[in-house]
């Protein structure tokens, strides 16, 4: 918590700017590898990040993306 300066900056936020599938969709609704790019705000600092993730179409023009990003603190 100290490294994150949680008292002064209690929120961590990732704003997705773009995501692109890196492989074709095997079947409708299947998870596919995705390269997601956006901005990460952490401990009062914002920076661009690229995350290898996975995504799938959910209908109605929506896409769900999930992933993780290791960080050194």
């Amino acid at each position: 918590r100290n490294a994150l300066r949680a008292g002064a900056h209690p929120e961590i936020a990732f704003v997705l700017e773009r995501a692109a599938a890196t492989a074709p969709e095997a079947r409708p609704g299947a998870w596919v590898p995705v390269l997601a790019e956006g901005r990460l705000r952490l401990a009062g600092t914002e920076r661009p990040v690229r995350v290898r993730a996975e995504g799938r179409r959910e209908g109605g023009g929506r896409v769900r993306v999930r992933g993780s990003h290791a960080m050194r603190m």
Side-chain angles (χ1 to χ4, degrees):
R1 290 191 64 114
N2 288 339
L4 296 175
R5 293 181 271 185
H9 306 283
E11 293 185 4
I12 297 172
F14 175 73
V15 177
L16 180 66
E17 294 174 343
R18 71 185 127 281
T22 59
E25 189 176 35
R27 60 179 161 56
W31 290 97
V32 297
V34 168
L35 179 59
E37 298 179 25
R39 302 204 57 81
L40 178 67
R41 187 171 56 246
L42 176 69
T45 302
E46 187 172 301
R47 63 184 175 125
V49 294
R50 297 176 87 186
V51 178
R52 296 218 177 268
E54 42 182 17
R56 71 174 178 194
R57 298 178 192 276
E58 295 213 321
R62 294 179 304 147
V63 175
R64 179 176 300 265
V65 177
R66 66 183 182 189
S68 62
H69 182 71
M71 300 176 55
R72 279 186 29 191
M73 296 299 294

Coordinates of all heavy atoms in Angstrom, one line a residue:
R1 N 0.8 -1.2 0.0 CA 0.0 0.0 0.0 C 0.9 1.3 0.0 O 0.5 2.2 -0.6 CB -0.9 0.0 1.2 CG -2.0 -1.1 1.1 CD -3.1 -0.9 2.1 NE -3.7 0.4 2.0 CZ -5.0 0.5 1.7 NH1 -5.7 -0.5 1.5 NH2 -5.5 1.7 1.6
N2 N 2.0 1.2 0.7 CA 2.8 2.4 0.7 C 3.4 2.7 -0.7 O 3.5 3.8 -1.1 CB 4.0 2.2 1.7 CG 3.5 2.3 3.2 OD1 2.4 2.9 3.4 ND2 4.2 1.8 4.1
A3 N 3.9 1.6 -1.4 CA 4.4 1.8 -2.7 C 3.4 2.4 -3.7 O 3.7 3.2 -4.6 CB 5.0 0.5 -3.3
L4 N 2.1 2.1 -3.4 CA 1.1 2.6 -4.3 C 0.6 3.9 -3.9 O -0.3 4.5 -4.6 CB -0.1 1.6 -4.3 CG 0.2 0.2 -4.9 CD1 -1.0 -0.7 -4.7 CD2 0.6 0.3 -6.3
R5 N 1.0 4.4 -2.7 CA 0.5 5.7 -2.2 C -1.0 5.7 -2.1 O -1.7 6.6 -2.6 CB 1.1 6.9 -3.0 CG 2.6 7.0 -2.8 CD 3.1 8.2 -3.5 NE 3.4 7.7 -4.9 CZ 4.0 8.4 -5.8 NH1 4.3 9.6 -5.6 NH2 4.2 7.9 -7.0
A6 N -1.6 4.6 -1.6 CA -3.0 4.4 -1.6 C -3.8 5.5 -0.8 O -4.9 5.8 -1.2 CB -3.4 3.0 -1.0
G7 N -3.2 6.1 0.2 CA -3.8 7.1 0.9 C -4.1 8.3 0.1 O -5.2 8.9 0.1
A8 N -3.2 8.7 -0.7 CA -3.3 9.9 -1.6 C -4.0 9.6 -2.9 O -4.6 10.4 -3.5 CB -2.0 10.6 -1.9
H9 N -3.8 8.3 -3.4 CA -4.4 7.9 -4.7 C -5.0 6.6 -4.6 O -4.4 5.5 -4.9 CB -3.2 7.9 -5.7 CG -2.4 9.1 -5.8 ND1 -2.9 10.2 -6.5 CD2 -1.2 9.5 -5.3 CE1 -2.0 11.2 -6.4 NE2 -1.0 10.8 -5.7
P10 N -6.3 6.5 -4.0 CA -6.9 5.2 -3.7 C -7.4 4.4 -4.9 O -7.7 3.3 -4.8 CB -8.1 5.6 -2.8 CG -8.4 7.0 -3.3 CD -7.1 7.6 -3.6
E11 N -7.4 5.0 -6.1 CA -7.9 4.3 -7.3 C -6.8 3.9 -8.3 O -5.8 4.6 -8.5 CB -8.9 5.1 -8.0 CG -10.2 5.3 -7.2 CD -11.2 6.1 -8.0 OE1 -11.0 6.4 -9.2 OE2 -12.3 6.4 -7.4
I12 N -7.0 2.7 -8.9 CA -6.1 2.3 -10.0 C -7.1 2.2 -11.2 O -8.2 1.6 -11.1 CB -5.5 0.9 -9.8 CG1 -4.5 1.0 -8.6 CG2 -4.8 0.4 -11.0 CD1 -4.0 -0.3 -8.1
A13 N -6.7 2.8 -12.3 CA -7.6 2.8 -13.5 C -6.8 2.5 -14.8 O -5.7 2.9 -14.9 CB -8.2 4.2 -13.7
F14 N -7.5 1.7 -15.6 CA -7.0 1.4 -17.0 C -8.0 1.8 -17.9 O -9.2 1.4 -17.9 CB -6.6 -0.1 -17.1 CG -6.2 -0.4 -18.5 CD1 -5.0 -0.1 -19.0 CD2 -7.1 -1.1 -19.4 CE1 -4.5 -0.4 -20.3 CE2 -6.7 -1.4 -20.7 CZ -5.4 -1.1 -21.1
V15 N -7.6 2.7 -18.9 CA -8.5 3.2 -19.9 C -8.1 2.5 -21.2 O -7.0 2.8 -21.7 CB -8.5 4.7 -20.0 CG1 -9.4 5.2 -21.2 CG2 -9.0 5.3 -18.7
L16 N -8.9 1.6 -21.8 CA -8.6 0.9 -23.0 C -8.8 1.9 -24.2 O -9.8 2.6 -24.3 CB -9.6 -0.2 -23.2 CG -9.4 -1.1 -24.4 CD1 -8.1 -1.8 -24.4 CD2 -10.6 -2.1 -24.5
E17 N -7.7 2.1 -25.0 CA -7.8 2.9 -26.1 C -8.0 2.1 -27.4 O -8.7 2.6 -28.3 CB -6.5 3.8 -26.2 CG -6.4 4.7 -25.1 CD -5.1 5.5 -25.0 OE1 -4.1 5.1 -25.7 OE2 -5.0 6.5 -24.3
R18 N -7.4 0.9 -27.5 CA -7.7 0.1 -28.7 C -7.3 -1.4 -28.3 O -6.5 -1.6 -27.4 CB -6.9 0.6 -29.9 CG -5.4 0.4 -29.9 CD -4.8 1.1 -31.1 NE -3.7 2.0 -30.7 CZ -3.8 3.2 -30.3 NH1 -5.0 3.8 -30.1 NH2 -2.8 4.0 -30.0
A19 N -7.9 -2.3 -29.0 CA -7.6 -3.7 -28.8 C -7.8 -4.3 -30.2 O -8.7 -4.0 -30.9 CB -8.6 -4.3 -27.8
A20 N -6.8 -5.2 -30.5 CA -6.8 -5.9 -31.8 C -6.6 -7.4 -31.6 O -5.7 -7.8 -30.9 CB -5.8 -5.3 -32.7
A21 N -7.5 -8.2 -32.2 CA -7.3 -9.6 -32.1 C -6.0 -10.0 -32.9 O -5.7 -9.5 -33.9 CB -8.5 -10.4 -32.8
T22 N -5.3 -11.0 -32.3 CA -4.0 -11.4 -32.9 C -4.2 -12.8 -33.5 O -3.2 -13.4 -34.0 CB -2.9 -11.4 -31.9 OG1 -3.2 -12.3 -30.8 CG2 -2.6 -10.0 -31.4
A23 N -5.4 -13.4 -33.5 CA -5.7 -14.6 -34.2 C -7.2 -14.6 -34.5 O -8.0 -13.9 -34.0 CB -5.4 -15.8 -33.2
P24 N -7.6 -15.4 -35.5 CA -9.0 -15.5 -35.9 C -9.9 -16.1 -34.9 O -9.4 -16.9 -34.0 CB -9.0 -16.3 -37.2 CG -7.7 -17.1 -37.2 CD -6.7 -16.3 -36.3
E25 N -11.1 -15.7 -34.9 CA -12.1 -16.3 -33.9 C -12.4 -17.7 -34.4 O -12.9 -17.9 -35.5 CB -13.4 -15.4 -34.0 CG -14.4 -15.7 -33.0 CD -15.5 -14.7 -33.0 OE1 -15.9 -14.2 -34.1 OE2 -16.1 -14.4 -32.0
A26 N -12.2 -18.7 -33.5 CA -12.4 -20.1 -33.9 C -13.9 -20.4 -34.1 O -14.3 -21.2 -34.9 CB -11.9 -21.0 -32.8
R27 N -14.7 -19.8 -33.3 CA -16.2 -19.9 -33.4 C -16.8 -18.7 -32.7 O -16.2 -18.0 -31.9 CB -16.7 -21.2 -32.7 CG -16.4 -21.3 -31.2 CD -16.9 -22.6 -30.6 NE -16.3 -22.9 -29.3 CZ -16.2 -22.2 -28.2 NH1 -16.7 -20.9 -28.2 NH2 -15.6 -22.6 -27.1
P28 N -18.0 -18.4 -33.1 CA -18.7 -17.2 -32.5 C -18.7 -17.2 -31.0 O -19.0 -18.2 -30.3 CB -20.1 -17.2 -33.0 CG -20.0 -18.0 -34.3 CD -18.9 -19.0 -34.0
G29 N -18.2 -16.1 -30.3 CA -18.2 -16.0 -28.9 C -17.0 -16.6 -28.2 O -16.9 -16.6 -27.0
A30 N -16.1 -17.2 -29.0 CA -14.8 -17.8 -28.4 C -13.9 -16.7 -28.0 O -13.8 -15.7 -28.6 CB -14.2 -18.7 -29.5
W31 N -13.1 -17.0 -27.0 CA -12.0 -16.1 -26.5 C -10.9 -16.2 -27.5 O -10.5 -17.3 -28.0 CB -11.5 -16.5 -25.1 CG -12.5 -16.2 -24.1 CD1 -13.4 -17.1 -23.5 CD2 -12.7 -15.0 -23.4 NE1 -14.1 -16.5 -22.5 CE2 -13.8 -15.2 -22.5 CE3 -12.2 -13.7 -23.5 CZ2 -14.2 -14.1 -21.6 CZ3 -12.7 -12.7 -22.7 CH2 -13.7 -12.9 -21.8
V32 N -10.3 -15.1 -27.9 CA -9.2 -15.0 -28.8 C -8.1 -14.2 -28.3 O -8.4 -13.2 -27.5 CB -9.6 -14.5 -30.2 CG1 -10.6 -15.4 -30.9 CG2 -10.1 -13.1 -30.1
P33 N -6.8 -14.4 -28.6 CA -5.7 -13.5 -28.1 C -5.9 -12.1 -28.7 O -6.3 -11.9 -29.8 CB -4.5 -14.2 -28.7 CG -4.9 -15.5 -29.2 CD -6.3 -15.5 -29.4
V34 N -5.6 -11.2 -27.8 CA -5.8 -9.7 -28.1 C -4.6 -9.0 -27.6 O -4.0 -9.3 -26.6 CB -7.1 -9.2 -27.4 CG1 -7.2 -7.7 -27.5 CG2 -8.3 -9.8 -28.0
L35 N -4.2 -7.9 -28.4 CA -3.2 -7.0 -27.9 C -4.0 -5.7 -27.5 O -4.6 -5.1 -28.4 CB -2.1 -6.7 -28.9 CG -1.1 -5.7 -28.5 CD1 -0.3 -6.1 -27.2 CD2 -0.1 -5.4 -29.6
A36 N -4.1 -5.4 -26.2 CA -4.8 -4.2 -25.7 C -3.8 -3.1 -25.4 O -2.8 -3.3 -24.8 CB -5.6 -4.6 -24.5
E37 N -4.2 -1.9 -25.8 CA -3.4 -0.7 -25.5 C -4.2 0.3 -24.8 O -5.4 0.5 -25.2 CB -2.8 -0.1 -26.8 CG -1.9 -1.1 -27.6 CD -1.3 -0.5 -28.8 OE1 -1.3 0.8 -28.9 OE2 -1.0 -1.3 -29.7
G38 N -3.6 1.0 -23.9 CA -4.4 2.0 -23.1 C -3.5 2.8 -22.2 O -2.3 2.7 -22.3
R39 N -4.1 3.4 -21.2 CA -3.4 4.2 -20.3 C -3.7 3.7 -18.9 O -4.9 3.5 -18.5 CB -3.8 5.7 -20.4 CG -3.5 6.2 -21.8 CD -3.3 7.7 -21.9 NE -2.3 8.3 -21.1 CZ -1.0 8.3 -21.4 NH1 -0.6 7.7 -22.5 NH2 -0.1 8.9 -20.6
L40 N -2.7 3.5 -18.1 CA -2.8 3.0 -16.7 C -2.5 4.2 -15.8 O -1.4 4.8 -15.9 CB -1.8 1.9 -16.5 CG -1.8 1.3 -15.0 CD1 -3.1 0.6 -14.7 CD2 -0.7 0.3 -14.9
R41 N -3.4 4.4 -14.8 CA -3.2 5.4 -13.8 C -3.0 4.7 -12.5 O -3.9 4.0 -12.0 CB -4.3 6.4 -13.7 CG -4.0 7.6 -12.8 CD -5.1 8.7 -12.8 NE -6.4 8.2 -12.6 CZ -7.4 8.2 -13.5 NH1 -7.2 8.6 -14.7 NH2 -8.6 7.7 -13.2
L42 N -1.8 4.9 -11.8 CA -1.5 4.2 -10.6 C -0.6 5.1 -9.8 O 0.4 5.7 -10.3 CB -0.7 2.9 -11.0 CG -0.1 2.1 -9.9 CD1 -1.3 1.4 -9.1 CD2 0.7 1.0 -10.5
A43 N -0.9 5.2 -8.5 CA -0.1 6.0 -7.6 C 0.1 7.5 -8.1 O 1.2 8.0 -7.9 CB 1.3 5.4 -7.3
G44 N -0.9 8.0 -8.7 CA -0.9 9.4 -9.1 C -0.1 9.6 -10.5 O 0.1 10.7 -10.9
T45 N 0.3 8.5 -11.1 CA 1.0 8.6 -12.4 C 0.3 7.9 -13.4 O -0.3 6.8 -13.2 CB 2.4 8.0 -12.2 OG1 3.1 8.6 -11.2 CG2 3.2 8.1 -13.5
E46 N 0.2 8.5 -14.6 CA -0.4 7.8 -15.8 C 0.6 7.5 -16.8 O 1.5 8.4 -17.1 CB -1.5 8.7 -16.3 CG -2.4 8.1 -17.4 CD -3.5 8.9 -17.8 OE1 -4.4 9.2 -16.9 OE2 -3.6 9.3 -19.0
R47 N 0.5 6.3 -17.4 CA 1.5 6.0 -18.5 C 0.8 5.0 -19.5 O -0.1 4.3 -19.1 CB 2.7 5.4 -17.9 CG 2.5 4.1 -17.2 CD 3.8 3.6 -16.6 NE 3.6 2.4 -15.8 CZ 4.2 1.3 -16.0 NH1 5.1 1.2 -16.9 NH2 3.9 0.2 -15.2
P48 N 1.3 5.0 -20.7 CA 0.8 4.1 -21.7 C 1.2 2.6 -21.4 O 2.4 2.4 -20.9 CB 1.3 4.5 -23.0 CG 2.6 5.3 -22.7 CD 2.3 5.9 -21.3
V49 N 0.4 1.6 -21.6 CA 0.7 0.2 -21.4 C 0.1 -0.6 -22.6 O -0.9 -0.2 -23.2 CB 0.3 -0.3 -20.1 CG1 0.9 0.3 -18.9 CG2 -1.2 -0.3 -19.9
R50 N 0.8 -1.7 -22.9 CA 0.4 -2.7 -23.8 C 0.2 -4.0 -23.0 O 1.1 -4.4 -22.3 CB 1.4 -2.9 -25.0 CG 1.6 -1.6 -25.8 CD 2.6 -1.8 -26.8 NE 2.0 -2.4 -28.0 CZ 2.6 -2.8 -29.1 NH1 3.9 -2.7 -29.1 NH2 1.9 -3.2 -30.1
V51 N -0.9 -4.6 -23.2 CA -1.2 -5.8 -22.4 C -1.7 -6.9 -23.4 O -2.5 -6.7 -24.2 CB -2.4 -5.5 -21.4 CG1 -2.8 -6.8 -20.7 CG2 -2.0 -4.4 -20.5
R52 N -1.0 -8.1 -23.3 CA -1.5 -9.3 -24.0 C -2.7 -9.8 -23.2 O -2.6 -10.0 -22.0 CB -0.4 -10.3 -24.1 CG 0.7 -9.8 -24.9 CD 1.3 -10.9 -25.8 NE 2.4 -10.3 -26.6 CZ 2.2 -9.8 -27.9 NH1 1.0 -9.8 -28.4 NH2 3.2 -9.3 -28.5
A53 N -3.8 -9.9 -23.8 CA -5.1 -10.3 -23.2 C -5.8 -11.3 -24.0 O -5.3 -11.8 -25.0 CB -5.9 -9.0 -22.9
E54 N -7.1 -11.5 -23.7 CA -8.0 -12.2 -24.6 C -9.3 -11.5 -24.6 O -9.7 -10.8 -23.7 CB -8.1 -13.7 -24.2 CG -8.2 -13.9 -22.7 CD -8.3 -15.4 -22.4 OE1 -8.0 -16.3 -23.2 OE2 -8.8 -15.7 -21.3
G55 N -10.0 -11.6 -25.7 CA -11.3 -11.0 -25.9 C -12.3 -11.8 -26.6 O -11.9 -12.9 -27.2
R56 N -13.6 -11.5 -26.5 CA -14.6 -12.2 -27.2 C -15.8 -11.2 -27.4 O -16.0 -10.3 -26.7 CB -15.1 -13.4 -26.4 CG -15.9 -13.1 -25.2 CD -16.5 -14.4 -24.6 NE -17.2 -14.0 -23.4 CZ -17.6 -14.9 -22.5 NH1 -17.3 -16.1 -22.6 NH2 -18.2 -14.5 -21.4
R57 N -16.5 -11.5 -28.5 CA -17.7 -10.7 -28.9 C -18.8 -11.1 -27.9 O -19.0 -12.3 -27.7 CB -18.1 -10.9 -30.3 CG -17.0 -10.5 -31.3 CD -17.5 -10.9 -32.7 NE -16.4 -10.8 -33.7 CZ -16.0 -9.6 -34.2 NH1 -16.7 -8.5 -33.9 NH2 -15.0 -9.6 -35.0
E58 N -19.6 -10.1 -27.5 CA -20.7 -10.4 -26.6 C -22.1 -10.0 -27.2 O -23.1 -10.1 -26.6 CB -20.5 -9.6 -25.3 CG -19.3 -10.1 -24.6 CD -19.5 -10.1 -23.1 OE1 -20.0 -9.1 -22.6 OE2 -19.0 -11.0 -22.4
G59 N -22.1 -9.5 -28.4 CA -23.3 -9.1 -29.1 C -23.6 -7.7 -28.8 O -23.1 -7.0 -27.9
G60 N -24.5 -7.1 -29.6 CA -24.9 -5.7 -29.5 C -23.7 -4.8 -29.7 O -23.7 -3.7 -29.2
G61 N -22.7 -5.2 -30.4 CA -21.5 -4.4 -30.7 C -20.5 -4.3 -29.5 O -19.5 -3.6 -29.6
R62 N -20.7 -5.1 -28.5 CA -19.8 -5.1 -27.3 C -18.8 -6.2 -27.4 O -19.1 -7.2 -28.0 CB -20.6 -5.3 -26.0 CG -21.6 -4.1 -25.7 CD -22.4 -4.3 -24.5 NE -23.1 -5.5 -24.6 CZ -23.4 -6.3 -23.5 NH1 -23.0 -6.0 -22.3 NH2 -24.0 -7.4 -23.7
V63 N -17.6 -5.9 -26.8 CA -16.5 -6.9 -26.8 C -16.0 -6.9 -25.3 O -15.8 -5.8 -24.7 CB -15.4 -6.5 -27.7 CG1 -14.2 -7.4 -27.6 CG2 -15.9 -6.5 -29.2
R64 N -15.8 -8.0 -24.8 CA -15.2 -8.1 -23.4 C -13.7 -8.5 -23.6 O -13.4 -9.4 -24.3 CB -15.9 -9.2 -22.6 CG -15.3 -9.4 -21.2 CD -16.1 -10.4 -20.4 NE -17.5 -10.0 -20.3 CZ -18.0 -9.4 -19.2 NH1 -17.2 -9.0 -18.2 NH2 -19.3 -9.1 -19.2
V65 N -12.9 -7.8 -22.8 CA -11.4 -8.0 -22.8 C -11.0 -8.3 -21.4 O -11.4 -7.6 -20.5 CB -10.7 -6.8 -23.4 CG1 -9.2 -7.0 -23.3 CG2 -11.1 -6.5 -24.8
R66 N -10.2 -9.3 -21.2 CA -9.6 -9.6 -19.9 C -8.1 -9.9 -20.0 O -7.7 -10.5 -21.1 CB -10.4 -10.8 -19.3 CG -10.2 -12.1 -20.0 CD -11.0 -13.2 -19.3 NE -10.8 -14.5 -20.0 CZ -11.5 -15.5 -19.8 NH1 -12.5 -15.5 -18.9 NH2 -11.2 -16.6 -20.4
G67 N -7.4 -9.6 -19.0 CA -6.0 -9.8 -19.0 C -5.3 -9.3 -17.8 O -5.9 -8.8 -16.9
S68 N -4.0 -9.4 -17.7 CA -3.2 -9.0 -16.6 C -1.9 -8.4 -17.1 O -1.5 -8.6 -18.2 CB -3.0 -10.1 -15.6 OG -2.2 -11.1 -16.2
H69 N -1.3 -7.6 -16.2 CA 0.0 -6.9 -16.6 C 0.9 -6.9 -15.4 O 0.5 -6.3 -14.4 CB -0.3 -5.5 -17.1 CG 0.9 -4.8 -17.5 ND1 1.5 -5.1 -18.7 CD2 1.5 -3.7 -17.0 CE1 2.5 -4.2 -18.9 NE2 2.5 -3.4 -17.8
A70 N 2.0 -7.6 -15.4 CA 3.0 -7.6 -14.3 C 3.7 -6.2 -14.3 O 4.0 -5.6 -15.3 CB 4.0 -8.7 -14.5
M71 N 3.9 -5.8 -13.0 CA 4.5 -4.5 -12.8 C 5.6 -4.5 -11.8 O 5.5 -5.3 -10.8 CB 3.5 -3.5 -12.4 CG 2.4 -3.3 -13.3 SD 1.1 -2.2 -12.8 CE 2.0 -0.8 -12.4
R72 N 6.7 -3.8 -12.0 CA 7.7 -3.6 -10.9 C 7.4 -2.4 -10.1 O 7.1 -1.3 -10.7 CB 9.1 -3.5 -11.6 CG 9.7 -4.7 -12.0 CD 11.1 -4.6 -12.5 NE 11.8 -3.5 -11.9 CZ 12.9 -3.0 -12.3 NH1 13.5 -3.5 -13.3 NH2 13.5 -2.0 -11.7
M73 N 7.4 -2.5 -8.8 CA 7.1 -1.3 -8.0 C 8.4 -0.9 -7.2 O 9.2 -1.7 -6.9 CB 6.0 -1.7 -7.0 CG 4.7 -2.0 -7.6 SD 4.0 -0.7 -8.6 CE 3.7 0.5 -7.3

